[in-house]
Amino acid sequence: FCFTPQGPQGVVTKTDDLGAELAQHVAAHDSKWDFQVQLFTDEKSTPIEDPRVEWTTPWTTLATLTLPR
């Protein structure tokens, strides 16, 4: 599974204090992420017991997590 952020990406930082910048951002904006999974298709291309194999199936969004400001 993965959480993919929604909204603008690649924010330019204005300071060396990333913690203060993050606190300022979440105080002014809702934060949203898509909760996504890759579905099993077959044992060869999506083996559950072999973590060395990279799955190439598409990501499917199951839910959106929203943290209000």
Side-chain angles (χ1 to χ4, degrees), residues 28-62:
H29 304 90
D30 289 349
S31 299
K32 294 184 177 189
W33 291 270
D34 288 331
F35 176 69
Q36 300 177 315
V37 298
Q38 288 179 289
L39 302 177
F40 175 85
T41 54
D42 60 64
E43 197 58 45
K44 182 175 181 179
S45 62
T46 53
I48 293 172
E49 298 298 327
D50 188 353
R52 299 170 295 164
V53 176
E54 183 175 348
W55 290 19
T56 58
T57 55
W59 289 98
T60 302
T61 300
L62 298 180

